[in-house]
Amino acid sequence: MFENATKQLRETVEAALPELNTVVGWRAGYDPLHMTPVFIKNAGDLSKLEWSPFCVQNLSGYLVKDPAVRAQDPSKKIGICVKGCDSRSLVALIQEKFIERNQIHVFGIPCRGTVDWRRVMKLGPLTGIQSARVEESRLVVEDANGGHTFALEDVLARKCLRCAHPNPVIHDVLIGEPVTPRVAVENSYGEVERMEEQSLEDRLGFWKKELDKCLRCYACRNACPLCVCQDRCIAETREPRWLTQRVGTSEKFLFHFIHALHLAGRCTECGECERACPMEIPVTLIKEKLNKITLELMSYEAGMDPEAVPPLLTFNPGETGL
Amino acid sequence: MSGKAFIPRDSLGAALDRLSKKIEVWVPAMSEEGRWGVEFLPYRPGMRPVLDRQSTLSPKRVVFPQMETLLRFEYIKDPDDPAKVKFRLDDGQEVKPQFVFGARPCDVRGFFTFDRVFTEGPFVDGYYRNRRASTLFATLVCGEGDAACFCSSVGSGPADQAGSDLWVTPVDGGYVVEALSERGREYVALLGDAPSELQEAAARKVQEEAAQQQVGDPDLVKSAPSFRGRFEDLDYWRSMVSQCLGCGVCTYVCPTCYCFTITDEGKDLKGERLRSWDSCMFAQYTSEASGHNPRPTKLERYRNRVGHKFSYFPEKYDGMIACCGCGRCIRSCPVSIDIRKVVQELKEKANACA
Amino acid sequence: MSGSNSVPVTEQGMKIVGFLCNWCSYGGADTAGVCRFKQPTDLRIIRIPCTGRMDPLFAAKSLIYGADGVLVSGCHPRDCHYAVGNLYARRRLEVLKHFLPFMGIDPRRFHYTWVSASEGQLWQRVVTDFSEQIHQLGPNPGIGAESEIFEKLGN
């Protein structure tokens, strides 16, 4: 099912390649459940390029994080492959003037959801995985013990199950047909709503339990395409000094407040923070709440319109009710 | 005392209950019921150890905690003479005997890297040495390797006994435990009755099969000496690790990464000196007071990570590779960078150039 | 603050951190003082150049580490000394107010308002009402062990 899409992607990229300096895409990783980013520079590398529901990584961060992918030849553009969610990160980066729209060539791929390998392994048990493929609404994995079939719903990433924007919001070329969103934006905050129904004490208990597992390895921050302060993050600066090296829960709370509040009204819910977390803390949920707030208070959805200004970087003098 | 015991699968909890009355026990357990991640946690009755897959975090923290207090200090002002200040210092360390149950050969081997640096001079780290000396390991014969495992490549293997006090072999219906050290022998009887001959034979079979397994490419480390020649080949490093996010997860899950930072944290007249895990993947790790950073981007940092494990460390410590082949850095990497590939191609491409 | 149990909770001193804009509310608090309006003593004032400088993390950190309340006060909207600082602040602080309860922190411990330099009486009412509210809520346990460590170190 995805062989055709991969073929089409390779052909489309090949056609555009002479005008491009580098194309950022995905290639096979260390096992069939994993893909890894690849930087295509010439036609010889094209056979590496892949598209499948295992292409989980959001590649837009590579355009801004040092050493960022830059065109050696300024007359050429950088090509980048994006899913629906990834394209919204691109929009956010364009809004904040980290990249210019006319310097990138976007290969947009409508996406039916990506596979969370940890959910697969949990349903397993799998040993010696030989192949993995998605067919319609099933994931079929072959391992040393034969074939295993999983319902796609059971192995998709959490962000994909609540995806309202599976189609890239910006693209120069679209690979494949647009797909129908699973939910409308207004209905995509079910998990946040379930949290809101709990008592204050229960919510505090939930976050204490979850965030207590945090290692403060900061992988969530470093994987985030919009955490653009990079090596100058206030979580690590000695002056001002926001955090100590202690490993208690309050330090962890404050770190996640720093991460989340700096993304308020900017986060595009691509879920990279949650995916990168080795402890599987649902850290994207924190940002989902902030997005729900900005949606309700300011009718703003991040990463949709390259011309829009994120709500906390502007104001409306006449607004009342705040 | 036969030095051997059999723990029926459904009595594992009871055996650990008995053990944990004598000594603090750490077991691999799910950090949250229903998720995939496993970490080493202090055993409490009722906890279900996860022994059928490798833990996400290594047991590094049992001996080398993520944060430890090196000393506490306090300034005491003399109320009669404000100019006179007394200084009180407390560098006592509380170390309890502890038992890690359910580590894997790679996990235990990880501590060998620490031992060389922290206990074999010229400077001995007392904090590490004390905790290391009071920690015992019950190690599983490993049967659950996956595509990221490469313990045989670095001189270990699924049946490696090195560094273990007890050897735990999963067989049908339970676990056969054997003492490998005198210290370990003391605890064997606590865990269960002596195994039957049949069970012993089954265990031997599992051990033999594991010993024959070749996990990973045995020639991997032969590429390591090519690192020096590759050092300045930035194109190589760019081609291998451009996708690195610099997230640092690899160093946090790694059983051999021992880099740390020391900070004084205090308020008013009291405080403490902390040692906590640091990561060579972070800019601040090498940031100098002048503002200069000799490893300004993730390329230099990743190169250092590979170089340290496969080149600098073996050059300094009689050829010992500072990697235990557990594959955690590969599995936990959000962009699936494969350190084996980076090491292997050091040589392949060098050959191609020559 | 050893938390002696012999004193009823409502009688204990509370730690309320007040972030006041230099150009208005700070002056308002001064006016209230000059006029000798009776005010509760729980408030520790931090002067900021404008509510536009008010990082929501200042409030978040205070509450995480066990401050009993956080009060932010600045110039009335459209009256900012720097024209628009408080208009940015209004959005940020409103978002924070909605966000705190999601993480399990009582939003009643956080309040933001507008008081000008001449409104001594209004200031008296704002600070009295807020500290009454905090006294009703009682001490903030904070999030984790650190707040205790700091308490211990502080003694």
Side-chain angles (χ1 to χ4, degrees):
Chain A
M1 173 177 178
F2 288 90
E3 285 83 0
N4 282 340
T6 296
K7 190 161 164 275
Q8 198 189 340
L9 175 64
R10 285 180 191 165
E11 284 166 5
T12 318
V13 171
E14 189 172 17
L17 202 55
E19 305 303 316
L20 303 174
N21 217 292
T22 302
V23 176
V24 193
W26 305 272
R27 61 175 292 183
Y30 74 91
D31 85 353
L33 291 179
H34 290 83
M35 289 282 172
T36 184
V38 64
F39 303 83
I40 307 272
K41 291 211 161 49
N42 51 55
D45 294 334
L46 272 172
S47 59
K48 293 176 185 165
L49 194 59
E50 300 263 357
W51 162 248
S52 74
F54 306 109
C55 298
V56 289
Q57 293 95 359
N58 178 354
L59 307 172
S60 48
Y62 292 117
L63 302 184
V64 290
K65 297 214 173 185
D66 267 345
V69 183
R70 289 194 183 88
Q72 250 97 44
D73 176 353
S75 69
K76 289 188 173 180
K77 295 181 181 184
I78 300 285
I80 181 162
C81 302
V82 294
K83 308 182 284 288
C85 47
D86 309 343
S87 73
R88 293 176 62 199
S89 310
L90 275 189
V91 170
L93 290 168
I94 293 168
Q95 285 176 339
E96 295 176 24
K97 303 195 168 43
F98 284 98
I99 44 182
E100 281 181 46
R101 178 68 185 90
N102 61 16
Q103 285 179 347
I104 53 171
H105 188 83
V106 183
F107 300 95
I109 309 175
C111 169
R112 290 174 198 276
T114 56
V115 172
D116 178 345
W117 70 276
R118 290 178 182 126
R119 293 189 79 194
V120 181
M121 295 304 285
K122 210 162 52 199
L123 292 172
L126 302 167
T127 44
I129 299 170
Q130 285 148 7
S131 76
R133 61 186 189 279
V134 170
E135 294 171 348
E136 299 303 327
S137 58
R138 300 178 310 154
L139 169 70
V140 183
V141 182
E142 275 170 31
D143 76 347
N145 302 322
H148 305 261
T149 304
F150 306 96
L152 206 50
E153 297 290 308
D154 295 336
V155 294
L156 285 186
R158 190 175 71 81
K159 65 161 182 176
C160 301
L161 294 170
R162 51 175 292 273
C163 177
H165 299 288
N167 302 307
V169 293
I170 54 164
H171 55 82
D172 291 286
V173 40
L174 202 63
I175 318 288
E177 295 301 311
V179 300
T180 321
R182 278 172 183 269
V183 287
V185 185
E186 309 79 70
N187 303 327
S188 68
Y189 292 106
E191 270 171 273
V192 173
E193 280 155 16
R194 276 194 292 285
M195 282 285 289
E196 287 166 349
E197 285 161 14
Q198 294 176 17
S199 70
L200 197 67
E201 289 72 30
D202 287 352
R203 282 192 297 256
L204 182 62
F206 173 82
W207 287 116
K208 271 188 175 176
K209 180 175 66 101
E210 289 291 344
L211 296 183
D212 197 39
K213 289 183 289 211
C214 173
L215 299 171
R216 272 171 67 198
C217 67
Y218 302 147
C220 48
R221 176 198 71 188
N222 295 339
C224 173
L226 290 168
C227 270
V228 287
C229 304
Q230 296 187 65
D231 300 338
R232 283 169 176 66
C233 176
I234 59 163
E236 286 176 295
T237 51
R238 300 291 290 176
E239 192 65 47
R241 185 125 173 277
W242 281 87
L243 291 169
T244 72
Q245 286 290 329
R246 289 199 178 88
V247 289
T249 320
S250 39
E251 305 285 294
K252 296 166 180 177
F253 254 70
L254 184 55
F255 169 70
H256 288 282
F257 264 78
I258 292 173
H259 188 20
L261 284 173
H262 282 175
L263 284 163
R266 299 172 64 230
C267 172
T268 57
E269 298 170 38
C270 72
E272 286 293 87
C273 47
E274 196 163 308
R275 196 177 65 77
C277 178
M279 306 310 291
E280 295 164 73
I281 302 169
V283 279
T284 313
L285 193 60
I286 307 175
K287 289 112 195 171
E288 284 165 27
K289 170 62 184 176
L290 282 163
N291 276 3
K292 184 164 176 274
I293 295 170
T294 48
L295 186 68
E296 286 168 356
L297 292 181
M298 299 147 198
S299 313
Y300 181 85
E301 210 188 335
M304 296 304 291
D305 172 10
E307 303 298 317
V309 180
L312 295 190
L313 303 181
T314 182
F315 57 86
N316 172 4
E319 70 196 342
T320 51
L322 289 188
Chain B
M1 281 203 294
S2 70
K4 287 189 182 182
F6 179 75
I7 312 173
R9 199 162 296 251
D10 51 11
S11 317
L12 180 62
L16 291 172
D17 288 351
R18 289 193 295 275
L19 188 63
S20 65
K21 285 203 183 98
K22 291 261 177 194
I23 187 169
E24 174 84 316
V25 180
W26 294 74
V27 294
M30 265 187 269
S31 38
E32 179 79 38
E33 206 60 40
R35 296 210 187 123
W36 173 248
V38 172
E39 58 184 317
F40 279 82
L41 296 170
Y43 178 79
R44 299 288 173 262
M47 228 156 110
R48 285 193 302 133
V50 180
L51 300 178
D52 61 355
R53 59 179 191 254
Q54 191 193 51
S55 59
T56 315
L57 297 183
S58 78
K60 173 164 78 175
R61 61 152 69 133
V62 178
V63 181
F64 191 71
Q66 182 170 4
M67 179 207 87
E68 91 185 293
T69 304
L70 300 181
L71 54 88
R72 286 158 288 273
F73 55 84
E74 186 181 8
Y75 295 94
I76 303 157
K77 278 192 180 158
D78 189 335
D80 299 326
D81 181 3
K84 242 169 82 182
V85 179
K86 273 197 288 188
F87 183 70
R88 195 163 61 85
L89 193 103
D90 165 19
D91 64 352
Q93 183 199 20
E94 210 182 301
V95 176
K96 281 186 292 184
Q98 44 187 3
F99 209 121
V100 180
F101 188 94
R104 281 162 199 274
C106 50
D107 297 334
V108 180
R109 200 179 180 83
F111 290 108
F112 291 4
T113 301
F114 277 78
D115 294 345
R116 287 309 291 261
V117 181
F118 288 168
T119 67
E120 292 178 19
F123 304 103
V124 173
D125 185 301
Y127 297 92
Y128 173 81
R129 181 198 53 202
N130 295 345
R131 213 176 266 113
R132 175 79 164 112
S134 58
T135 308
L136 285 86
F137 292 92
T139 309
L140 283 167
V141 176
C142 185
E144 288 89 16
D146 69 7
C149 288
F150 61 107
C151 52
S152 307
S153 304
V154 292
S156 179
D160 190 356
Q161 301 179 339
S164 302
D165 300 283
L166 293 183
W167 216 22
V168 183
T169 313
V171 295
D172 276 344
Y175 304 90
V176 173
V177 183
E178 285 169 55
L180 296 176
S181 74
E182 279 311 308
R183 286 200 305 170
R185 192 177 288 270
E186 289 174 35
Y187 295 94
V188 171
L190 261 179
L191 289 167
D193 299 329
S196 67
E197 270 180 38
L198 225 61
Q199 286 159 342
E200 277 194 59
R204 253 194 315 278
K205 189 160 168 279
V206 171
Q207 291 159 4
E208 279 161 17
E209 276 172 16
Q212 275 164 14
Q213 264 184 52
Q214 180 66 44
V215 183
D217 175 6
D219 292 335
L220 181 73
V221 294
K222 288 188 188 153
S223 310
S226 312
F227 175 82
R228 291 273 180 193
R230 279 275 168 203
F231 187 82
E232 284 179 46
D233 186 354
L234 281 185
D235 281 339
Y236 176 74
W237 295 105
R238 217 170 278 133
S239 72
M240 296 316 289
V241 293
S242 279
Q243 70 267 51
C244 176
L245 301 170
C247 78
V249 158
C250 46
T251 59
Y252 279 77
V253 298
C254 178
T256 68
C257 275
Y258 56 78
C259 291
F260 58 81
T261 182
I262 292 179
T263 47
D264 285 357
E265 311 287 3
K267 197 185 163 208
D268 302 334
L269 298 174
K270 281 184 178 181
E272 47 191 349
R273 177 160 296 174
L274 305 176
R275 164 159 72 187
S276 40
W277 292 357
D278 203 348
S279 168
C280 59
M281 301 309 289
F282 295 162
Q284 295 226 330
Y285 179 78
T286 43
S287 184
E288 293 171 7
S290 66
H292 172 69
N293 194 337
R295 294 183 208 140
T297 75
K298 58 196 184 184
L299 287 191
E300 293 86 359
R301 291 174 215 147
Y302 196 93
R303 179 180 64 188
N304 174 72
R305 184 162 196 273
V306 174
H308 186 205
K309 292 199 180 305
F310 290 90
S311 176
Y312 317 146
F313 197 92
E315 277 171 27
K316 195 166 177 201
Y317 297 107
D318 319 316
M320 182 178 174
I321 302 283
C323 169
C324 62
C326 69
R328 285 190 176 88
C329 55
I330 304 170
R331 246 172 258 119
S332 287
C333 178
V335 293
S336 300
I337 295 180
D338 191 338
I339 194 167
R340 292 169 298 188
K341 198 163 153 260
V342 182
V343 174
Q344 208 148 31
E345 295 197 8
L346 284 170
K347 191 174 184 186
E348 283 175 17
K349 293 229 175 130
N351 286 347
C353 294
Chain C
M1 242 153 277
S2 56
S4 157
N5 290 332
S6 57
V7 185
V9 166
T10 47
E11 295 302 312
Q12 267 182 36
M14 289 283 171
K15 286 170 286 179
I16 301 176
V17 188
F19 293 92
L20 307 191
C21 163
N22 174 52
W23 301 102
C24 48
S25 298
Y26 196 79
D30 198 32
T31 307
V34 169
C35 299
R36 303 196 176 246
F37 295 146
K38 194 169 157 31
Q39 292 178 51
T41 53
D42 308 302
L43 191 75
R44 274 80 161 163
I45 294 175
I46 295 173
R47 182 162 62 153
I48 52 176
C50 172
T51 43
R53 172 66 181 91
M54 182 63 202
D55 190 331
L57 287 168
F58 294 160
K61 182 167 183 177
S62 308
L63 292 170
I64 288 171
Y65 285 89
D68 299 309
V70 172
L71 176 64
V72 182
S73 185
C75 307
H76 290 275
R78 293 175 191 275
D79 240 1
C80 177
H81 186 79
Y82 304 102
V84 295
N86 55 3
L87 298 177
Y88 284 108
R90 183 164 63 179
R91 284 193 158 191
R92 291 173 197 155
L93 298 174
E94 188 64 23
V95 166
L96 179 70
K97 183 125 184 125
H98 282 78
F99 177 58
L100 286 173
F102 187 73
M103 301 304 288
I105 296 173
D106 198 326
R108 290 171 295 180
R109 294 192 184 277
F110 172 70
H111 184 58
Y112 74 95
T113 185
W114 320 116
V115 174
S116 80
S118 58
E119 294 173 318
Q121 224 153 11
L122 177 61
W123 174 254
Q124 183 199 24
R125 207 174 70 225
V126 162
V127 75
T128 308
D129 288 355
F130 187 63
S131 48
E132 260 172 34
Q133 182 169 321
I134 298 300
H135 276 269
Q136 271 164 21
L137 289 170
N140 175 16
I143 297 297
E146 269 92 341
S147 44
E148 291 161 27
I149 290 171
F150 275 95
E151 280 296 305
K152 277 187 214 135
L153 287 171
N155 279 336

